[in-house]
Amino acid sequence: MAAKDIRANGPAHVAIIMDGNGRWAQMRGRPRLYGHQAGARRVREIVESCPSLGIRYLTIFAFSTENWKRTQAEVTGLMTLFRRYIQKEAQELLQNGVRVRFIGDRDRLDPKLVEMMRRLEELTEANDLVHLTIALNYGGRDEVARATKRLAREVAAGRLDPEDVDAETLAHFLDTCLLPDPDLVIRTSGEARISNFLLWQSAYAEYEFTPVLWPDFTRDHFAEILDNFGTRERRFGAVSA
Ligand code: FPP
């Protein structure tokens, strides 16, 4: 499993659904949060691997709009983990050239966490080596609905002509308006679903489903998937040349 560095035909933007933390913990007879903590350590490893693997944009699904349905203890534990991650990793991210952004609806999040997110975005805004986007209280349908609301306000205010609205206009109102579309979406843990992640943006993305549970997902697993991506032919709806 050689980790070949900097791929010519590699994806610029990889999005990851980090699944399997709960099962990983269960297999060890430990509480689910133990799996999430192990998952957070993998986030660090995978982010650090991006420059040498040629990944400029990495987007990770940390908490979905549906994850509020989990037990209060798990939700609280995850929120604490996100705060700790920001606190612990901020300086390292800054020094490693990582620009951090968050996508998702911040309204339902604890204001203290929202403030930490804002400060981390501000702290790293001059970085350009790796663009890390963390999806927190994110859902693809919710994002499109929020974008539509903002777009409708522009129409109502007379600043936008409905006749001028096309796909590009809507994309401009999405949380991801500053990011390129993902080239590759990876989901760990053997589930083959997209679970409301980047629905609009993934229209032409390739998908990779790996059986590896997220807390076991190493840089070598990542590199292997990226090697495989280089062999695919992406036609974007056209025919082969
Ligand atoms: C899905 O696994 C994972 C989540 C809902 C949380 C993802 C969070 C992390 C990886 C923690 C760290 C993240 C950051 C940004 C610090 P699951 O719990 O649904 O696993 P299961 O399907 O095995 O139950």
Side-chain angles (χ1 to χ4, degrees):
M1 236 184 327
K4 183 156 58 79
D5 284 358
I6 311 287
R7 288 147 180 79
N9 297 321
H13 185 176
V14 179
I16 308 184
I17 302 173
M18 309 179 289
D19 196 11
N21 297 347
R23 273 163 287 167
W24 187 89
Q26 219 164 20
M27 283 159 62
R28 286 159 179 78
R30 304 295 297 266
R32 297 177 58 80
L33 206 56
Y34 182 71
H36 295 314
Q37 285 160 350
R41 290 194 287 276
R42 284 303 176 201
V43 169
R44 185 193 168 112
E45 175 178 337
I46 294 304
V47 172
E48 277 176 3
S49 75
C50 284
S52 63
L53 295 176
I55 306 300
R56 184 116 190 276
Y57 293 87
L58 177 72
T59 300
I60 54 175
F61 206 178
F63 194 88
S64 79
T65 46
E66 288 72 37
N67 285 153
W68 296 106
K69 293 180 202 145
R70 297 188 174 204
T71 64
Q72 180 71 38
E74 186 171 353
V75 169
T76 307
L78 276 167
M79 293 300 155
T80 305
L81 192 58
F82 299 143
R83 281 202 303 273
R84 278 208 199 120
Y85 174 81
I86 294 174
Q87 224 162 25
K88 242 177 77 187
E89 302 291 323
Q91 283 308 317
E92 192 95 356
L93 291 163
L94 175 67
Q95 273 148 32
N96 288 345
V98 181
R99 178 172 183 171
V100 184
R101 293 186 181 88
F102 291 89
I103 55 171
D105 186 358
R106 299 182 192 202
D107 287 354
R108 201 173 162 184
L109 298 173
D110 183 289
K112 261 190 254 152
L113 173 61
V114 174
E115 178 56 15
M116 291 175 79
M117 289 156 60
R118 192 196 63 74
R119 290 221 303 263
L120 183 60
E121 286 179 327
E122 195 178 81
L123 180 75
T124 60
E125 73 185 351
N127 282 346
D128 192 37
L129 185 65
V130 175
H131 292 249
L132 170 66
T133 302
I134 303 176
L136 229 170
N137 193 25
Y138 174 87
R141 288 183 173 180
D142 177 67
E143 181 192 28
V144 172
R146 285 185 290 105
T148 307
K149 196 186 284 184
R150 290 200 285 267
L151 188 152
R153 282 200 197 110
E154 292 301 298
V155 170
R159 288 191 290 265
L160 182 63
D161 183 344
E163 294 307 317
D164 292 338
V165 175
D166 56 16
E168 211 179 304
T169 321
L170 185 62
H172 178 76
F173 288 90
L174 294 171
D175 297 350
T176 52
C177 60
L178 299 172
L179 304 174
D181 285 343
D183 304 294
L184 173 66
V185 179
I186 299 171
R187 183 175 188 141
T188 59
S189 94
E191 310 286 346
R193 292 188 296 274
I194 59 168
S195 300
N196 206 6
F197 190 42
L198 301 176
L199 294 180
W200 174 281
Q201 299 85 344
S202 300
Y204 291 102
E206 299 287 330
Y207 285 91
E208 272 288 342
F209 301 100
T210 168
V212 179
L213 303 176
W214 176 252
D216 289 328
F217 190 78
T218 63
R219 181 197 191 277
D220 282 348
H221 291 116
F222 194 26
E224 192 177 79
I225 289 175
L226 299 175
D227 280 341
N228 185 26
F229 178 91
T231 64
R232 296 178 180 207
E233 184 197 15
R234 297 176 76 206
R235 293 196 296 272
F236 299 95
V239 290
S240 301

